[in-house]
């Protein structure tokens, strides 16, 4: 545990969100978990085939609830990111997500916001927030206000 991120919160749970493009669902989930979990959770997101940019409708939908992800960029899924995470939540990455024994894997079936306008993204955003709050409860972490 000599990594700098582990030193700042050694007892924090570590969660990785994975979808294909890391431009929509996984970005929203990471943003909500970062906001609601604070320093008690280490948050990562990645894609098996990352897009060039985050979906603009996703950026707009999160801005509506006070979360700014305009500076985020899609990241490639690495074996290390999976190994360094306690919980791996997949959102449609299928077989591209590496499997390691001892990790907790969840698969969240959510509509893909790709190519959708902000009106179609809002219900996906709200469902992701609901699931994030449930995940925090499972981890025994009180959501930040």
């Amino acid at each position: 545990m000599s990594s700098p991120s582990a030193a700042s919160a050694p007892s924090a749970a570590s969660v990785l969100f994975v979808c294909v493009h890391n431009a929509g669902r996984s970005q929203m989930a990471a943003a909500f978990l970062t906001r609601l979990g604070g320093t008690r959770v280490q948050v990562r997101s990645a894609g098996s085939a990352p897009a060039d940019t985050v979906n603009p409708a996703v950026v707009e939908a999160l801005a509506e609830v006070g979360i700014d992800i305009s500076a985020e960029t899609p990241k490639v899924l690495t074996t290390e990111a999976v190994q360094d995470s306690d919980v791996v939540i997949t959102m449609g990455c299928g077989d591209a997500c590496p499997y390691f024994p001892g990790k907790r894997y969840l698969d969240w079936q959510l509509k893909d916001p790709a190519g959708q306008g902000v009106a179609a993204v809002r219900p996906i955003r709200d469902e992701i927030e609901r699931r994030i709050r449930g995940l925090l409860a499972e981890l025994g972490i009180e959501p930040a206000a």
Side-chain angles (χ1 to χ4, degrees), residues 1-144:
M1 295 231 187
S2 60
S3 72
S5 60
S8 62
S11 62
S14 179
V15 179
L16 169 65
F17 296 100
V18 183
C19 66
V20 175
H21 300 298
N22 190 224
R25 296 165 289 188
S26 57
Q27 289 282 348
M28 286 191 280
F32 274 118
L33 187 56
T34 297
R35 171 189 262 182
L36 297 171
T39 59
R40 299 159 295 171
V41 183
Q42 289 181 326
V43 182
R44 297 177 181 87
S45 71
S48 53
D52 293 330
T53 60
V54 175
N55 180 334
V58 166
V59 173
E60 183 178 342
L62 284 175
E64 291 177 351
V65 295
I67 299 175
D68 179 9
I69 64 162
S70 60
E72 293 296 325
T73 56
K75 294 164 274 310
V76 69
L77 176 64
T78 64
T79 301
E80 293 77 23
V82 177
Q83 288 175 319
D84 291 344
S85 300
D86 302 315
V87 180
V88 179
I89 300 175
T90 58
M91 303 171 171
C93 77
D95 296 337
C97 191
Y99 177 81
F100 293 96
K103 303 291 176 194
R104 180 174 174 209
Y105 286 86
L106 301 172
D107 185 46
W108 289 359
Q109 296 295 317
L110 297 159
K111 290 185 179 177
D112 188 347
Q116 303 294 316
V118 72
V121 173
R122 286 182 189 116
I124 302 167
R125 172 200 67 199
D126 296 344
E127 175 62 14
I128 288 172
E129 180 181 10
R130 186 188 70 73
R131 291 182 187 210
I132 292 297
R133 288 181 181 278
L135 176 65
L136 285 169
E138 290 175 26
L139 295 172
I141 298 171
E142 186 72 27

